[in-house]
Amino acid sequence: MASYKSPELRDKLAAEYVIGTLRGRARARFQALLRYDPDLRRTVSEWEARLTPLSAAAGEIAPPARVWQALAGRLAGAKPGGGAWTGLAFWRGLAVTGGAFVLILAAFIGVAPRPEPPMAMVAVMSDDKGVPALVVSWPSMKAMRDPYVRIKVVQEHPVMAPGTTWEMWMVPAGKSAPVSMGLISTDADQTMKLKPALASRMEGAWGVAMSIEPKGGSPTGVPTGPVIFKGQCVKLL
Amino acid sequence: MNRPAPDALAMRLAELLAQAALKNQRAFADLYQLTAAKLFGVALRILRRQDWAEEVLQECYVNIWNHAGDYAAQKSAPLTWMTSIVRNRCLDWLRRPQREATGDEYDIAVEAWQDESPGPLESLMASSEAAALARCLRELDARQRQSIMLAFFHGLSHSELASHMKQPLGTVKTWVRRGIERLKGCLAAAA
């Protein structure tokens, strides 16, 4: 269409496209044109820059939590193998749904690739903003020869500062003094062996926490550095 | 919640978009938290239906996730880029014939624009980058301003504008066109 060559018309169409009054087939035609015409794209961008401040003035409306949940689910589905994403989407959703928590959690742990005993307890550890960072789970410690907990990273860690370590703590029910579980690495999926004395207490754990400690771990036996992740335990069995 | 100033926000959003382009999920979650309410407001006003707005918002964020890498090539501010994605998606959505708004369900929403109601214009003035736009909008003829704002905020088409403002189609088309011309002239002079 020759008329698209007129600069005035191009500008007018771009403006109406951005304002939204260009509709139907005219809009479709204009969009087709945009694909091949960088100059026209620039004209559109200019109008967008002119008018978008209006949108900002119009006030915010928070979408319901289900939008993020569905979005996270879609992205997780669209990216099979995007393990970390699946993790984040997953845990974010959980943070809101609450009730479905244990069931989905069980399903998540159920699909763990390694054959291992069913997990008896789990804690999702979050940062101070409530964003999940680690999942700690463990099987029933009864009759276990080498008691351990599994630790999975659901989103990337902050960098471990030189000269520091990360120490895991079991917070007993009644929230008495935390008991050290050991030092963790930056591995995405790791197993932490527990001393038998601690293993026998894991069933009664109220929560788990992770603190930043000097190399070698807390010198005092209680957390000395900041607690960056913590989470409450949930019984699965 | 402590909100960053607009410039700080723009920088933060650009940074989060760059990280989202590298498929950093945490950054994308933060991006969502910082922008979802703004973009949902935009979508809800245009679509006027909660379920549509939710669906479109979701689609747009999938889009933003997939195309975050393209953002760097844009000259626009991050929020402008994201808002344009949402606005365009909404307008495409309304293009499907069965989705054209029908009855009077939006009359309440647009009541604020019945007259020269300065509400959103006042809040525009508060931000310096938008002050020129607000001033130029004020300089328009009231009917030109009203038709542009109804179209922009609430996604009204020419024919919807005509029926809402009880004017012939040709008349509202002219208001929109003249309004655009004057607005452009005024903004160019202000720059």
Side-chain angles (χ1 to χ4, degrees):
Chain A
M1 266 214 194
S3 59
Y4 280 128
K5 289 201 169 117
S6 143
E8 290 78 24
L9 181 64
R10 288 163 65 93
D11 193 61
K12 172 192 171 278
L13 288 173
E16 297 231 9
Y17 174 72
V18 171
I19 286 168
T21 45
L22 199 65
R23 290 293 176 94
R25 270 180 303 185
R27 182 175 169 82
R29 212 158 47 223
F30 187 82
Q31 283 173 324
L33 210 64
L34 269 182
R35 230 168 283 156
Y36 303 103
D37 192 336
D39 191 57
L40 195 59
R41 282 204 294 276
R42 203 168 314 123
T43 310
V44 165
S45 299
E46 283 165 13
W47 274 106
E48 284 171 352
R50 281 183 196 116
L51 295 173
T52 306
L54 265 180
S55 297
E60 304 182 0
I61 304 166
R66 61 176 171 267
V67 175
W68 172 259
Q69 289 163 35
L71 172 65
R74 271 173 77 169
L75 292 182
K79 297 230 173 275
W85 172 262
T86 312
L88 174 66
F90 197 78
W91 302 113
R92 274 287 178 128
L94 279 185
V96 200
T97 49
F101 188 93
V102 174
L103 281 180
I104 307 171
L105 207 46
F108 177 71
I109 289 159
V111 298
R114 247 189 271 168
E116 58 184 352
M119 294 294 156
M121 282 180 90
V122 65
V124 179
M125 301 178 68
S126 309
D127 65 16
D128 56 356
K129 292 194 196 96
V131 178
L134 300 171
V135 179
V136 185
S137 58
W138 57 92
S140 168
M141 301 285 178
K142 283 179 197 129
M144 253 194 120
R145 265 188 302 169
D146 301 305
Y148 67 91
V149 298
R150 286 282 302 277
I151 302 168
K152 288 188 192 189
V153 173
V154 293
Q155 71 169 24
E156 59 197 316
H157 279 308
V159 177
M160 193 188 279
T164 65
T165 51
W166 291 341
E167 190 158 359
M168 295 288 289
W169 303 89
M170 187 274 276
V171 183
K175 298 185 208 173
S176 49
V179 184
S180 174
M181 294 165 67
L183 303 178
I184 81 166
S185 71
T186 49
D187 294 348
D189 189 347
Q190 56 190 299
T191 302
M192 179 186 272
K193 291 209 167 89
L194 298 183
K195 293 191 182 107
L198 175 60
S200 62
R201 297 180 63 185
M202 288 305 287
E203 206 179 340
W206 177 84
V208 282
M210 193 186 96
S211 67
I212 300 178
E213 299 296 338
K215 242 185 168 53
S218 162
T220 64
V222 292
T224 59
V227 170
I228 57 171
F229 303 129
K230 57 182 186 298
Q232 214 173 320
C233 297
V234 177
K235 278 194 170 138
L236 297 176
L237 295 179
Chain B
M1 192 169 154
N2 233 340
R3 286 189 181 283
D7 283 356
L9 179 66
M11 282 172 63
R12 176 87 182 116
L13 294 180
E15 186 187 305
L16 290 173
L17 275 171
Q19 298 208 21
L22 301 170
K23 302 297 168 216
N24 177 334
Q25 307 89 356
R26 168 75 184 275
F28 188 68
D30 287 351
L31 184 73
Y32 180 88
Q33 286 195 331
L34 283 171
T35 54
K38 296 179 207 299
L39 299 186
F40 190 60
V42 169
L44 196 56
R45 266 182 292 270
I46 295 177
L47 298 173
R48 300 166 226 148
R49 266 183 58 170
Q50 173 93 13
D51 53 343
W52 290 355
E54 287 181 21
E55 196 175 332
V56 164
L57 190 71
Q58 236 187 79
E59 283 180 19
C60 288
Y61 274 99
V62 171
N63 236 323
I64 290 166
W65 171 252
N66 290 333
H67 298 283
D70 300 345
Y71 169 70
Q74 310 290 319
K75 295 271 184 283
S76 44
L79 202 54
T80 302
W81 183 71
M82 295 173 74
T83 305
S84 298
I85 288 175
V86 172
R87 289 184 49 81
N88 285 329
R89 187 74 197 93
C90 288
L91 294 167
D92 287 342
W93 182 277
L94 290 176
R95 199 171 76 202
R96 301 178 209 178
Q98 69 276 20
R99 286 177 180 154
E100 277 290 341
T102 47
D104 301 323
E105 71 266 36
Y106 55 83
D107 278 358
I108 296 163
V110 299
E111 231 148 60
W113 305 105
Q114 291 283 8
D115 45 31
E116 299 171 53
S117 167
L121 284 187
E122 302 269 274
S123 49
L124 255 190
M125 295 297 283
S127 112
S128 65
E129 57 157 3
L133 177 62
R135 191 174 49 74
C136 289
L137 280 166
R138 278 181 200 281
E139 282 182 16
L140 297 185
D141 173 279
R143 292 162 310 176
Q144 293 172 355
R145 175 171 59 245
Q146 194 191 349
S147 31
I148 285 181
M149 290 184 122
L150 283 171
F152 186 83
F153 272 113
H154 299 289
L156 266 62
S157 64
H158 279 135
S159 53
E160 288 168 332
L161 282 175
S163 78
H164 180 75
M165 297 170 90
K166 300 186 176 58
Q167 293 290 331
L169 187 60
T171 307
V172 286
K173 282 188 175 177
T174 307
W175 287 344
V176 171
R177 200 188 66 233
R178 297 233 170 104
I180 288 169
E181 283 161 8
R182 287 184 56 184
L183 198 57
K184 193 187 175 194
C186 175
L187 286 169

